[in-house]
Amino acid sequence: MAKQVIKFFATWCGPCKLYAPTFNRVKEELQSDEITFTEINVENDPENLAAEYKVRGIPLTVVVDNGEVRTESGRLSEEMLKKLING
């Protein structure tokens, strides 16, 4: 199963807007059959994943890797995001 990287955000969130370019650069670089990227607007979350992953603040990045869940809140640098993804 592919490693999943999920970013929780909201359109009105200033830090989310500032984090978006960094997330997108890493997504363009690393997205593959082994790593998938998903972005979830917490205000439009029909599958209620924000509740499943206990999102308390945004932006929140979640990595699901073979059943292990790693999370990091706030704006991440490219280096921090890659470190979170690679475990």
Side-chain angles (χ1 to χ4, degrees):
M1 182 175 181
K3 187 181 299 186
Q4 294 179 293
V5 181
I6 308 166
K7 178 182 79 171
F8 291 93
F9 73 100
T11 56
W12 49 263
C13 167
C16 298
K17 291 176 187 178
L18 294 171
Y19 179 43
T22 302
F23 185 86
N24 290 335
R25 279 192 300 273
V26 173
K27 176 181 175 179
E28 287 176 17
E29 181 181 336
L30 298 181
Q31 185 162 267
S32 65
D33 290 340
E34 287 81 36
I35 304 175
T36 62
F37 288 77
T38 305
E39 298 178 60
I40 298 176
N41 184 336
V42 295
E43 294 188 319
N44 182 17
D45 181 13
E47 295 179 32
N48 208 16
L49 290 174
E52 181 179 333
Y53 289 105
K54 298 175 180 62
V55 175
R56 299 285 180 250
I58 51 176
L60 178 75
T61 307
V62 176
V63 176
V64 182
D65 185 8
N66 289 321
E68 177 189 357
V69 177
R70 298 186 295 274
T71 63
E72 190 71 45
S73 62
R75 288 175 47 206
L76 306 179
S77 66
E78 286 187 42
E79 181 181 315
M80 292 167 62
L81 178 55
K82 289 177 183 178
K83 185 176 180 181
L84 179 66
I85 292 168
N86 294 319

